[in-house]
Amino acid sequence: MKMLINVAETVVADALRGLAAAHPDLTVDVENRVIVRRDAPVAGKVGLVSGGGSGHEPLHGGFVGPGMLDAACPGEVFTSPVPDQMARAAAAVDSGEGVLFIVKNYTGDVLNFDMAAELAEDEGVQVAKVLVNDDVAVTDSLYTAGRRGTGATLFVEKIAGAAAEEGAPLDRVAALARRVNESSRSFGVALSACTTPAKGGPTFDLPAGELELGVGIHGEPGRERRSMMTSREIADFAVEAVLEDLRTDDPVLVLVNGMGATPLLELYGFAAEVHRVLGERRVAVARTLVGNYVTSLDMAGASVTLCRVDEELLRLWDAPVRTAGLRWGC
C-alpha cells in the first residue's frame, strides 16, 4: 500500500508536529501526546478533555479550541491514549471549575479515562465523565461492551463546549453532554476496508462489489454484508435504522460524515438522499453538517448521525467555534 508517511512508528508524532506548525493557536506536546488550546486554562471555565486512538482525524485534536474542547489526547492508531496523557491534559486545562472527560464507548478508552480521573482527582481536580454510545448498528463489538461511540461525539463536544464557554458549571455541562448523547443515534456504512500504517494492508476483507452495513470506525463488523447498493438505497437503510431507535417528533441535527476516502461530491449526493428519507418520514431538519469529521483512516463510506434538538441545544450548536476542524461564528 502507498502511504504518505516516513515509517509506521512515527506516524502520530509526525502528524502532531504538522498540527503544531499549521495551528499556532494550539499547544502541542508531541512527546507526551497532548493537544491543548493555547489560552488554557481559561479562568472561570470548565475544561473539556477528550481523546482516543489516532486515525479518526479531525476527531479529536481538530476539535480543540474556543467553543469546543480544551484538550485532546491522541493514542497510537486505533489505540486508546494512556491515563497519564489524560491526567496531564486535565491538569493543563483546569481553572478550578472542574474538568469534563468525554469518552467514546470503547473498552480501552473507558478503562484508561477512569484511571485518569482517579489520578486527576488525587491532584485536586474535580472530574466528571460522559460516555458516548450512539451507534445503533450492533450492541457489542470487538472493542466494546454495549454500543459504540461514533459521530455523536462531535455533537457532544460542540454543544457541551459552547455551554462551558458561556461559563456553565461542571454539573450543567455534564448534564447537557449526557442529554446530547441520549438524543443522538448513528449508523455507518463501509464501501472499502481501512489500512493501518503498521499493517500496510486492509484491516478486514471486503470483497469487490460488497459493502458492510453498520461498520464501526475501526472496521468492526456491522449488521450484514450486501451487494453494492445505490446512494438512495443506502440512505433508506441507514436512516431507517437510526429512526427506528431514535423515534423523534423534534427537529434534528444531521451529520453526514465521510469515513476518510469518500469525496465530497459523493457525500453531498448522499446528504440529499438522507434529507429525502427524513422528509418522507416528516422529520424536520434544523441543521446539516457534511464532511469528514469522524473518520477511519482511508476507509470509503459514510455514516449518518441524527440528534434531536430543542431551542437550547440548537442555540448552543450555533454558538461560535474556532478549531482546526470546525469553525463558524468567529
Side-chain angles (χ1 to χ4, degrees):
M1 303 295 293
K2 295 179 180 178
M3 306 182 80
L4 193 62
I5 65 173
N6 293 315
V7 293
E9 292 77 12
T10 67
V11 165
V12 176
D14 291 344
L16 290 176
R17 290 190 296 107
L19 182 70
H23 298 283
D25 52 336
L26 299 176
T27 298
V28 181
D29 184 339
V30 176
E31 181 180 356
N32 293 304
R33 308 289 172 90
V34 178
I35 304 162
V36 182
R37 55 185 282 184
R38 187 167 290 279
D39 59 350
V42 179
K45 180 188 175 302
V46 169
L48 268 65
V49 175
S50 193
S54 297
H56 306 303
E57 290 72 24
L59 190 81
H60 295 272
F63 298 146
V64 174
M68 216 159 173
L69 295 176
D70 292 273
C73 305
E76 292 297 327
V77 173
F78 291 178
T79 303
S80 173
V82 297
D84 284 350
Q85 285 175 264
M86 304 158 193
R88 185 175 282 108
V93 305
D94 180 39
S95 69
E97 301 299 323
V99 172
L100 178 66
F101 283 168
I102 298 172
V103 188
K104 300 189 304 303
N105 188 33
Y106 297 95
T107 302
D109 290 14
V110 172
L111 292 175
N112 286 350
F113 269 101
D114 283 347
M115 287 187 279
E118 294 178 6
L119 292 173
E121 287 167 350
D122 288 344
E123 296 299 320
V125 178
Q126 183 184 3
V127 176
K129 292 171 290 184
V130 171
L131 193 67
V132 182
N133 57 350
D134 55 302
D135 186 5
V136 302
V138 295
T139 300
D140 297 306
S141 75
L142 299 176
Y143 296 79
T144 310
R147 289 180 167 176
R148 304 175 291 212
T150 57
T153 312
L154 183 150
F155 290 153
V156 171
E157 292 177 355
K158 171 62 184 76
I159 290 173
E165 206 72 42
E166 292 179 350
L170 181 59
D171 58 351
R172 176 64 178 155
V173 176
L176 278 167
R178 293 188 183 100
R179 182 175 157 206
V180 172
N181 177 64
E182 291 163 2
S183 300
S184 301
R185 300 291 187 274
S186 296
F187 192 91
V189 178
L191 309 184
S192 72
C194 55
T195 305
T196 61
K199 184 176 175 61
T203 55
F204 62 97
D205 177 43
L206 186 58
E210 293 187 7
L211 76 169
E212 182 89 28
L213 294 167
V215 72
I217 58 173
H218 307 96
E220 309 98 310
R223 289 186 178 181
E224 61 178 292
R225 288 187 177 182
R226 290 190 182 181
S227 297
M228 186 59 196
M229 301 158 64
T230 65
S231 177
R232 182 184 185 91
E233 292 167 335
I234 295 170
D236 285 333
F237 192 102
V239 176
E240 290 294 336
V242 169
L243 290 178
E244 183 179 307
D245 197 284
L246 188 62
R247 301 185 183 278
T248 180
D249 294 321
D250 298 319
V252 295
L253 298 176
V254 178
L255 171 62
V256 173
N257 171 67
M259 292 294 198
T262 299
L264 280 171
L265 181 70
E266 296 177 31
L267 291 177
Y268 276 116
F270 184 57
E273 297 298 343
V274 169
H275 272 245
R276 173 189 57 79
V277 181
L278 292 171
E280 291 171 355
R281 291 289 299 268
R282 294 182 171 83
V283 177
V285 176
R287 302 286 187 274
T288 302
L289 184 65
V290 179
N292 290 291
Y293 294 101
V294 184
T295 62
S296 183
L297 293 168
D298 60 343
M299 182 186 289
S303 63
V304 177
T305 304
L306 304 181
C307 176
R308 295 190 305 262
V309 290
D310 56 15
E311 289 184 3
E312 179 184 30
L313 294 187
L314 190 57
R315 179 185 65 80
L316 292 168
W317 174 257
D318 286 340
V321 60
R322 190 170 73 251
T323 70
L326 207 64
R327 184 179 296 248
W328 59 68
C330 297

